[in-house]
Amino acid sequence: MQSKSFVLSAIQGDRGGQLTLLAILAAVIFVPLANTLLPSGHPLHVETFTVSLMGKYLSYAMLALALDLVWGYLGILSLGHGAFFAIGGYAMGMYLMRQIGERGVYGDPILPDFMVFLNWQELPWFWQGFDQFWLACLMVVLVPGALAYVFGYLAFRSRVSGVYLSIMTQALTYALMLAFFRNEMGFGGNNGLTDFKDILGFSLQSDSTKLALFVITGVALMVSYVVCRMVITSRLGRVALAIRDTESRTRFMGYDVDGIKLWVFVLSAVIAGIAGALYVPQVGIINPGEFAPLNSIEVVVWVALGGRATLFGAIVGALIINYAKSWFTVEFPEVWLFALGGLFVLSTMYFPKGVIGFVSDRVEDIRKRSSDKTKPEDDQLPTKEATA
C-alpha cells in the first residue's frame, strides 16, 4: 500500500508527465485495435509496418528518457548512451541468433551463420547460455549496468566532470564501435546480427508478435518514466539536483556525491540497455553502427529539443525528431542531416527550454493575462494605505 501511494505521489503534480503517460496508454490500446479490427482501407487503420515503426520510436523515447535522467537532473552530459543501448541490443540479438538453429543458411544447430562462414569450430564461452531467454534478459540489465558502474566508478572517483567527462563517454562508445567491427570479437563484425526468426517460439514476422512487442515497449516506457519520477522526487533526487547545481557545496555538506552520481548513472544505463533490447526484435538487426558517436549526439538533440530536466520532454523530443527523420528520409533524404543540425540550432536560439518549456511559458503567460482581466477594477487600484 505504501509503495502504491509512493508511485502515485511521484507523478502527482506532474501534469505534463500525466498527459504523456495517458497518450502512450491510449496508443498502446488503440493501435492494436486499429490494426486488427479495422479493414486496410479504413482511414484509421494502422499498417503492421507502422506498428513496428512506432515501436522503434518508443524504444528511442526510452533511450532519451535515460539520458535526461543523468543530464537533466545530475548535470552529466553523456555522449555515450548509445553504447548502453547497443549493448542491450546485442544481448537480445545473441538470444535471437541462438533461436535460429538449423534454419540458418548453413544449417548448423549451434553456431550462428557468421561463425560457420568464418570457420569457427565451437561456440565462444560468452555465447554459452544465450539460448535461454531468462539469461538474455539478465544480460540486458547486467552488462550495461556493469559497464556503467566500472566507467562511472573510475570517472567519478577521479573527479572527472564537465566537458572532459563528455569526451570520455564519447571515446568509450567509439572504442566499442571499433571493437565490435572486428570479426574476431565474435559479434558478427561489420554485418552484426540479423536474420532473426522468432522469440519465445513466436515468429517475428507475425503481425501478432509485432503488436505484442509494440505493447511491451509502450508499457516498458511508462514503467521507466514512473521509476525515473520516483527517483527524482525522492530525497536522492533532491540531492542529485543539488549536485547538478552546486557539487562542491553538496560534497562539503557530507553527502556521498560520487556514490549518488554512480547510482543514477547505472540506473540510466540499465534503462538504455532495456530500450536496446526492445529495439532489436522490432527492427530485425543490430550492428556496430549503433555504437556510432553520432547516434549518441543525436539523442542529446532529442532531449534538448523536447526539454531538458522534464523527463516527458525527452519522450516528446524523441518522438518528434524521429518522426521528422522518417518523413525527411523519404521526401528529402539528402537534407536530413542539415535539417537535424538546423533543429538543434533553432532549439538552442529560440527554445532554450525546449518545446515543452516554450509551451509551458506561453500557457503561463495566457493564464496571467486572463487572471489580470478577471480581477475587479477596485483590486487593481492602489489602496489608501499603499498611497500613504
Side-chain angles (χ1 to χ4, degrees):
M1 194 68 179
Q2 291 181 349
S3 60
K4 182 179 179 180
S5 62
F6 186 65
V7 172
L8 293 176
S9 64
I11 61 175
Q12 188 175 7
D14 180 24
R15 184 64 180 274
Q18 293 172 0
L19 293 175
T20 303
L21 291 177
L22 286 175
I24 297 171
L25 180 61
V28 166
I29 296 173
F30 172 76
V31 170
L33 295 177
N35 176 265
T36 56
L37 299 182
L38 300 178
S40 58
H42 195 280
L44 295 180
H45 175 75
V46 180
E47 299 291 341
T48 304
F49 170 78
T50 306
V51 173
S52 297
L53 191 63
M54 294 173 68
K56 183 177 75 170
Y57 292 166
L58 292 179
S59 63
Y60 282 154
M62 279 187 67
L63 176 58
L65 179 69
L67 178 62
D68 193 28
L69 181 63
V70 294
W71 185 28
Y73 295 92
L74 203 55
I76 298 175
L77 177 56
S78 171
L79 298 180
H81 257 55
F84 306 127
F85 180 83
I87 289 174
Y90 264 97
M92 180 55 66
M94 292 167 71
Y95 163 77
L96 296 174
M97 289 295 291
R98 292 296 308 274
Q99 299 307 300
I100 298 176
E102 297 179 353
R103 292 172 293 176
V105 176
Y106 298 100
D108 193 296
I110 303 297
L111 297 180
D113 284 338
F114 73 89
M115 291 187 184
V116 178
F117 178 78
L118 294 173
N119 294 320
W120 289 56
Q121 300 303 315
E122 60 181 5
L123 196 69
W125 64 268
F126 49 86
W127 277 77
Q128 299 293 335
F130 271 92
D131 54 337
Q132 302 295 322
F133 183 74
W134 68 268
L135 180 64
C137 292
L138 189 63
M139 293 299 104
V140 164
V141 173
L142 287 183
V143 178
L147 177 62
Y149 181 85
V150 173
F151 176 86
Y153 181 85
L154 296 175
F156 301 147
R157 296 291 174 179
S158 301
R159 305 288 177 88
V160 180
S161 61
V163 66
Y164 299 103
L165 182 60
S166 300
I167 293 173
M168 287 179 61
T169 57
Q170 191 172 55
L172 171 68
T173 188
Y174 185 68
L176 288 171
M177 182 186 71
L178 296 179
F180 274 71
F181 265 121
R182 301 177 66 88
N183 288 328
E184 57 268 29
M185 284 289 292
F187 295 105
N190 183 59
N191 295 322
L193 309 178
T194 187
D195 196 30
F196 309 133
K197 306 296 183 184
D198 51 42
I199 180 170
L200 291 174
F202 299 98
S203 172
L204 287 173
Q205 306 306 317
S206 171
D207 291 353
S208 59
T209 305
K210 293 179 180 180
L211 287 171
L213 288 170
F214 168 78
V215 171
I216 292 171
T217 307
V219 172
L221 176 58
M222 290 188 288
V223 172
S224 299
Y225 182 86
V226 173
V227 170
C228 291
R229 281 291 304 177
M230 291 170 64
V231 170
I232 65 173
T233 55
S234 65
R235 184 171 179 268
L236 173 66
R238 292 191 291 271
V239 176
L241 287 174
I243 294 172
R244 181 195 68 182
D245 297 333
T246 54
E247 179 175 338
S248 58
R249 181 178 297 180
T250 307
R251 192 184 299 274
F252 178 77
M253 293 176 65
Y255 288 101
D256 183 10
V257 171
D258 299 331
I260 294 172
K261 292 169 69 173
L262 183 60
W263 193 95
V264 177
F265 189 69
V266 169
L267 175 62
S268 175
V270 168
I271 294 175
I274 295 173
L278 293 169
Y279 167 86
V280 168
Q282 297 185 87
V283 300
I285 187 173
I286 179 69
N287 59 40
E290 295 296 335
F291 286 100
L294 180 61
N295 290 354
S296 296
I297 296 174
E298 191 173 329
V299 181
V300 175
V301 178
W302 302 347
V303 177
L305 180 66
R308 178 188 168 198
T310 59
L311 293 183
F312 66 90
I315 296 175
V316 173
L319 297 178
I320 290 175
I321 293 183
N322 281 285
Y323 174 78
K325 181 178 182 179
S326 298
W327 186 82
F328 269 102
T329 51
V330 172
E331 301 296 333
F332 307 102
E334 65 279 359
V335 301
W336 158 241
L337 290 178
F338 298 100
L340 178 63
L343 281 173
F344 186 67
V345 172
L346 288 174
S347 63
T348 303
M349 294 177 61
Y350 300 105
F351 306 104
K353 298 180 181 179
V355 173
I356 298 300
F358 177 79
V359 173
S360 299
D361 291 343
R362 300 291 80 76
V363 171
E364 187 64 26
D365 290 342
I366 294 173
R367 287 179 178 176
K368 288 181 178 179
R369 291 173 185 172
S370 61
S371 63
D372 291 340
K373 290 180 180 179
T374 56
K375 285 182 179 179
E377 293 185 1
D378 293 340
D379 293 345
Q380 299 180 18
L381 294 175
T383 61
K384 293 181 178 180
E385 290 79 1
T387 56

